[in-house]
């Protein structure tokens, strides 16, 4: 079976998006508000994506786990979302629920998913993740945490009651100091996870819900 990631339309779209994302460091510096909504609006032109290797890893994990429900915190322009949507399409089962605070990015991500022919596999929820994910359906078999880092642990705690036994929880950019509370939680045996640090770009933590 050929992966949807190898479809010429999807492959070309991802190549373009990764090329645009590579320009993040070239974009003008600007004053960034401290509040999360203001920060999201001020940085709406930044892609802040997973790496290409990270995207392929997410696809592989979703193919292997065959989750009924995938949740993504931090959709941005939809690069990681496209990988997850391709996986659930190829699995023949599952749906992706993404959440994004920036209205600019919500519009762009939906357009990218439509261009890839994967819009029917994804629901993108616009707004604060602690509100939009409050009623997302479970059981959640795969959770990607790649939004604002100070919200990573609160979002996980919000969704923990809906995590399926054996669910995979993937957190990106674990090398950032703001990820320490999250890592302390998932690496504490009392929290009910067993995980491993995966060396992709700024690092991913892959945790299995026991």
């Amino acid at each position: 079976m050929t992966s949807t990631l190898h479809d010429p339309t999807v492959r070309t779209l991802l190549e373009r998006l990764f090329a645009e994302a590579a320009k993040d460091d070239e974009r003008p510096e600007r004053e960034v508000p401290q509040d999360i909504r203001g920060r999201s609006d001020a940085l709406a032109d930044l892609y802040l994506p997973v790496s290409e290797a990270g995207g392929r890893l997410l696809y592989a994990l979703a193919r292997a786990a065959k989750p009924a429900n995938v949740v993504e915190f931090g959709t941005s322009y939809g690069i990681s979302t496209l990988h997850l949507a391709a996986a659930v399409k190829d699995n023949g089962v599952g749906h992706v629920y993404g959440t994004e605070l920036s209205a600019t990015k919500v519009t762009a991500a939906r357009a990218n998913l439509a261009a890839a022919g994967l819009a029917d596999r994804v629901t993108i929820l616009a707004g604060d993740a602690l509100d939009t994910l409050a009623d997302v359906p479970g059981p959640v078999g795969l959770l990607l945490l790649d939004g604002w880092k100070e919200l990573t642990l609160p979002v996980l705690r919000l969704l923990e009651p809906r995590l399926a036994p054996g669910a995979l929880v993937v957190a990106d950019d674990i090398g950032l100091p703001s990820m320490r509370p999250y890592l302390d939680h998932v690496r504490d045996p009392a929290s009910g996870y067993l995980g491993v640090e995966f060396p992709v770009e700024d690092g991913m933590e892959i945790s299995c819900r026991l």
Side-chain angles (χ1 to χ4, degrees), residues 129-190:
L130 295 177
D131 296 325
T132 60
L133 297 180
D135 297 317
V136 75
V140 175
L142 176 61
L143 170 61
L144 171 61
L145 299 166
D146 194 21
W148 296 114
K149 303 312 171 186
E150 63 265 45
L151 289 181
T152 303
L153 182 54
V155 168
L156 175 62
R157 289 189 180 278
L158 174 70
L159 292 171
E160 275 181 335
R162 279 166 281 167
L163 292 179
L168 295 175
V169 181
V170 182
D172 197 23
D173 301 320
I174 62 170
L176 297 176
S178 51
M179 288 294 288
R180 177 48 52 189
Y182 172 83
L183 293 174
D184 288 344
H185 176 69
V186 295
R187 291 175 179 176
D188 181 351

Side-chain angles (χ1 to χ4, degrees), residues 169 186-187 193-198 205-210:
V169 181
V186 295
R187 291 175 179 176
Y193 296 93
L194 184 64
V196 61
E197 179 177 344
F198 200 85
E205 185 86 359
I206 304 173
S207 307
C208 178
R209 182 66 165 166
L210 303 177

Side-chain angles (χ1 to χ4, degrees), residues 21 26 44 47-48 70-71 88 109 112 129 176-177 183 195 206:
E26 303 172 11
Y47 282 67
L48 306 172
V70 178
V71 174
V88 299
N112 289 330
L176 297 176
L183 293 174
I206 304 173

